[in-house]
Amino acid sequence: MNKVYNLQEELKEHLRQIIIDLGCDKDKINVIIEEPKEKSNGDLATNCAMQLARELKKSPKMIAQEIVEKINKEEYNIERIEIAGPGFINFFMNNKYLTQIIKQVLTLNEQYGRSDTGKKQRINVEFVSANPTGDLHLGHARGAAIGDTLCRILDMAGFNVTREYYINDAGNQIHNLALSTICRYEQLLGKNSEMPEDGYYGQDIVDIAKKLNLLYGDKYLEDTKERYDLFRNFAKNYELEKIKVDLASFNVTFDVWSSEEALYKEHKVEEAIERLRNKGYIYESEGATWFKSSAFGDDKDRVLRKSDNSLTYLTPDIAYHIDKLDRGYDILIDILGADHHGYVPRLKASMECLTGDSDKLEALIIQMVRLIKNGEEYKMSKRSGKALTLKDLIDEVGVDAIRFFFVSRSSDSQMDFDLDLATKQSNENPVYYAQYAHARICSILRQAEEKKLESVLLDEYHLIDSDKAFEVLKKLAEFPKTVATGALKRAPHIITNYVIDLAQAFHSFYNAEKVINDEDIEKTGQLLALVKATQITLRNSLNLIGVSAPEKM
RNA sequence: GGGGCGUUAGCUCAACUGGAUAGAGCAACGGCCUUCUAAGCCGUCGGUUAAGGGUUCGAGUCCCCUACGUCCCGCCA
């Protein structure tokens, strides 16, 4: 947390004290300080006088007047204070308030933006979790970009983050993967085999079959348990490796890869049912085993074990979430596609039943992405294997542009991904706007270095005095708070907005003012410090989105 | 029928626990490169925040209602 941000907090506390002295109930006081959009309304402002009007039974303006008289301006680097409009108190800060941020940034460097907002709470974020039955596609890309960015933000805001991928490697889909692989293998060897009903028709399955053929020849033409197990595992691992490679090239990594199959092997799935049974919320009906989830807010009860004795997908998922709780996390976040949102209440019901801790689970629902090609929706079908994969997307559009695009929209909104726009007009993507600012900065710093001009480290930069420079400084100061807000609201898109704002402030400053001036080495040194601080903040914020900060463009 | 999410400028989207004149990018128009990168800057144009009602000093934001879009409502995952 930087000094400027702390100063805001201190000022808040100062105001709180003043208000209490005016005779307000201290439990009701929630002082809000904000940075007005309109700069004629000051650098900081508070609406607290208006909020107190009713309780104190005085006009907001009078209250504001009384508050202002008691404020210690010097201690909080306040130049002057105005009361405006219906009762806003506007603070105009002095040069020291803004310029001291530079030293903070330069000193903290890549740590700038960190805060202890999360209080080291242990938080587990599960995302992507695609079945290892094929390539990742567009929807996964959005989930991956948002999930990974959220993790980076949470980490910087002081949470202890675990990134987790849950591998559904025990269900029907893996079964179909195994059968599809076997079929393709047999077809390679000249047999007229038919694909299973819900088979996977992608080229990748054919590739797997070819590899198996290469390894084992025609050894596995006969239908045996051994063949099934071998092919199943081979195909699963092949697909999983492919997913890992694609994610890595998308700058996404995980700390924990959890396996559904492992839950079975460790008997955690059976155990989950028994634990629910011991609580008295399991019953048998129509030959199936039911969980009375409606007792915990679900709209109906759910089947855990079907009448054919197999388990529904919910059952291992309950075991999985209980397992996560058992591992001691304070918060669990599931990042889910919109098509799974109805799934959350039943999962929470199980957690509530077993631990009473269902509040620890948060679901971040990500709305659907439509792929637009040639001006119309491009439907992807698993059956034909026709889909736009993450890998294709990276090759055509590039990691930076994709990540920025996906993260820049609120996850609550559906979005269209227009492929033609993304590839053809990629220069118009806002990500380049931000990266360009960084490249410009690097160019300035390179030239300064050639001229042996150096930035200086000071407590106060009295030669920095232009409005454009102050706008940049204000943005720099906002960074830690922005990260904290993004973390608490689980809203990564706040960071992309910030990046654009900061880049804009810098571009504007750049055009208005020349940094390198051989005639005035002292001022150049101070401005170079500002430029460096901007570089650091831009780099740190781009890094949160997983986007590169190029030195040249 | 029930529920989740959405509806803001011509297009794609913002707007921090309710705040001051609702902002960016793209598109359109007009300026700015003998000066650190013009992938840039400055300016202009563009709005009944889907419609209607309510709450209050104050609503894009909260409540109610209607319409439209989308997703879910399985002993599929």
Side-chain angles (χ1 to χ4, degrees):
Chain A
M1 201 70 58
N2 67 70
K3 268 189 192 167
V4 172
Y5 187 44
N6 277 346
L7 195 71
Q8 277 185 33
E9 293 300 308
E10 286 165 22
L11 178 59
K12 219 185 254 187
E13 190 51 38
H14 185 51
L15 286 167
R16 224 176 95 85
Q17 272 308 324
I18 290 172
I19 292 166
I20 290 170
D21 292 346
L22 286 175
C24 287
D25 185 350
K26 66 180 173 190
D27 297 327
K28 288 186 186 165
I29 299 169
N30 180 24
V31 178
I32 297 170
I33 293 187
E34 56 181 7
E35 289 143 27
K37 288 174 219 161
E38 179 62 42
K39 64 181 173 184
S40 66
N41 289 327
D43 300 306
L44 298 174
T46 179
N47 61 355
C48 62
M50 283 137 78
Q51 290 183 320
L52 296 169
R54 200 175 317 169
E55 192 184 342
L56 292 177
K57 298 200 173 76
K58 288 184 203 167
S59 80
K61 284 194 172 183
M62 277 181 65
I63 297 167
Q65 190 57 46
E66 287 176 35
I67 293 172
V68 167
E69 279 165 14
K70 295 189 178 183
I71 292 173
N72 182 342
K73 289 198 229 170
E74 268 173 41
E75 191 175 338
Y76 298 96
N77 290 329
I78 299 165
E79 182 85 31
R80 65 193 163 87
I81 302 174
E82 276 179 9
I83 298 169
F88 286 100
I89 303 175
N90 296 337
F91 301 94
F92 293 81
M93 311 306 282
N94 63 27
N95 176 284
K96 185 176 177 189
Y97 166 76
L98 281 172
T99 62
Q100 67 180 341
I101 191 66
I102 295 173
K103 187 177 179 186
Q104 289 291 306
V105 178
L106 295 181
T107 308
L108 290 169
N109 205 337
E110 67 268 13
Q111 298 299 312
Y112 180 62
R114 284 210 168 270
S115 67
D116 54 6
T117 308
K119 301 185 184 102
K120 297 201 173 121
Q121 282 187 93
R122 294 190 64 204
I123 186 164
N124 178 293
V125 184
E126 184 213 324
F127 59 111
V128 187
S129 293
N131 294 330
T133 55
D135 285 303
L136 298 175
H137 58 250
L138 203 60
H140 297 127
R142 187 178 188 188
I146 290 181
D148 179 70
T149 301
L150 178 62
C151 287
R152 292 172 191 238
I153 294 169
L154 288 168
D155 178 72
M156 194 168 232
F159 288 89
N160 182 352
V161 182
T162 301
R163 308 144 161 268
E164 185 148 333
Y165 187 115
Y166 178 57
I167 310 163
N168 284 102
D169 53 3
N172 245 328
Q173 306 203 358
I174 295 293
H175 178 62
N176 285 328
L177 175 69
L179 295 184
S180 303
T181 306
I182 289 168
C183 172
R184 290 301 192 203
Y185 174 80
E186 290 180 351
Q187 286 174 348
L188 270 181
L189 292 167
K191 272 180 86 170
N192 202 10
S193 309
E194 269 186 37
M195 287 289 273
E197 199 177 332
D198 293 313
Y200 294 98
Y201 289 78
Q203 178 61 33
D204 49 334
I205 310 297
V206 178
D207 293 342
I208 295 170
K210 281 182 183 164
K211 280 196 193 305
L212 284 163
N213 183 23
L214 214 63
L215 281 169
Y216 303 109
D218 61 358
K219 184 179 168 192
Y220 288 107
L221 267 175
E222 258 181 65
D223 183 12
T224 61
K225 174 85 165 57
E226 185 198 348
R227 176 178 80 165
Y228 175 84
D229 288 343
L230 178 77
F231 278 38
R232 179 177 176 281
N233 283 331
F234 189 91
K236 180 190 82 182
N237 289 332
Y238 178 92
E239 296 289 1
L240 198 55
E241 279 314 306
K242 217 152 42 99
I243 287 172
K244 286 185 182 179
V245 169
D246 286 353
L247 286 172
S249 64
F250 199 49
N251 291 336
V252 176
T253 56
F254 289 88
D255 303 310
V256 178
W257 295 79
S258 256
S259 153
E260 180 185 1
E261 205 170 24
L263 290 172
Y264 280 102
K265 282 183 179 157
E266 293 159 19
H267 307 292
K268 287 184 173 163
V269 181
E270 288 299 327
E271 207 180 292
I273 299 177
E274 288 319 304
R275 281 167 74 173
L276 289 167
R277 194 189 301 281
N278 290 338
K279 292 273 183 186
Y281 290 95
I282 294 289
Y283 64 92
E284 310 290 327
S285 175
E286 299 166 63
T289 303
W290 295 71
F291 167 42
K292 199 168 169 44
S293 57
S294 61
F296 300 94
D298 198 3
D299 51 356
K300 54 183 155 187
D301 295 345
R302 305 292 167 181
V303 171
L304 296 185
R305 188 189 303 280
K306 299 179 245 177
S307 50
D308 69 357
N309 214 31
S310 65
L311 299 174
T312 63
Y313 69 100
L314 176 62
T315 315
D317 262 20
I318 290 175
Y320 173 55
H321 281 81
I322 297 301
D323 182 58
K324 282 197 277 193
L325 280 181
D326 286 346
R327 282 187 260 148
Y329 293 107
D330 300 306
I331 303 168
L332 304 179
I333 296 181
D334 283 7
I335 295 184
L336 300 171
D339 50 344
H340 283 76
H341 85 270
Y343 181 58
V344 178
R346 65 192 79 166
L347 211 48
K348 282 199 166 218
S350 73
M351 294 171 73
E352 189 60 36
C353 176
L354 288 179
T355 67
D357 264 346
S358 65
D359 288 346
K360 285 186 176 174
L361 175 65
E362 292 175 26
L364 185 64
I365 306 295
I366 298 185
Q367 296 298 321
M368 295 294 165
V369 184
R370 290 197 312 166
L371 179 62
I372 306 293
K373 207 173 174 179
N374 302 324
E376 50 188 63
E377 184 174 2
Y378 182 80
K379 290 269 188 192
M380 301 198 269
S381 105
K382 238 177 208 176
R383 189 163 177 82
S384 63
K386 187 177 106 176
L388 184 77
T389 67
L390 174 58
K391 193 175 181 308
D392 297 337
L393 211 56
I394 292 173
D395 291 343
E396 285 191 49
V397 185
V399 173
D400 288 345
I402 303 169
R403 286 193 60 134
F404 198 93
F405 180 76
F406 277 133
V407 174
S408 62
R409 268 76 164 175
S410 158
S411 48
D412 289 335
S413 308
Q414 300 172 46
M415 58 191 287
D416 290 345
F417 191 92
D418 189 326
L419 193 61
D420 306 308
L421 210 72
T423 51
K424 211 166 61 186
Q425 306 190 337
S426 63
N427 280 2
E428 287 163 12
N429 190 309
V431 73
Y432 298 103
Y433 181 83
Q435 291 181 319
Y436 186 53
H438 186 266
R440 273 183 152 173
I441 287 171
C442 292
S443 174
I444 294 174
L445 295 178
R446 275 194 299 270
Q447 294 189 35
E449 202 178 341
E450 279 173 24
K451 294 187 175 187
K452 306 267 186 261
L453 292 166
E454 285 184 1
S455 67
V456 289
L457 194 61
L458 303 169
D459 288 320
E460 185 176 355
Y461 292 82
H462 61 281
L463 293 176
I464 293 179
D465 57 2
S466 70
D467 282 348
K468 299 287 188 188
F470 287 152
E471 288 306 308
V472 175
L473 291 171
K474 276 188 213 169
K475 278 292 153 196
L476 296 181
E478 279 173 29
F479 185 52
K481 197 171 86 177
T482 305
V483 176
T485 305
L488 292 174
K489 300 187 74 165
R490 326 283 190 232
H493 74 275
I494 286 179
I495 303 299
T496 52
N497 290 344
Y498 174 81
V499 167
I500 294 299
D501 283 353
L502 178 57
Q504 185 174 50
F506 181 79
H507 280 310
S508 186
F509 162 78
Y510 176 94
N511 276 274
E513 198 163 350
K514 195 156 187 308
V515 174
I516 295 175
N517 179 1
D518 301 315
E519 311 286 302
D520 191 344
I521 290 172
E522 191 184 359
K523 183 167 186 181
T524 299
Q526 296 198 6
L527 286 175
L528 280 172
L530 166 68
V531 169
K532 253 189 171 168
T534 309
Q535 179 192 39
I536 288 167
T537 310
L538 210 43
R539 196 196 290 141
N540 290 0
S541 52
L542 284 171
N543 189 42
L544 281 178
I545 316 167
V547 167
S548 66
E551 301 196 350
K552 282 184 184 171
M553 282 176 78

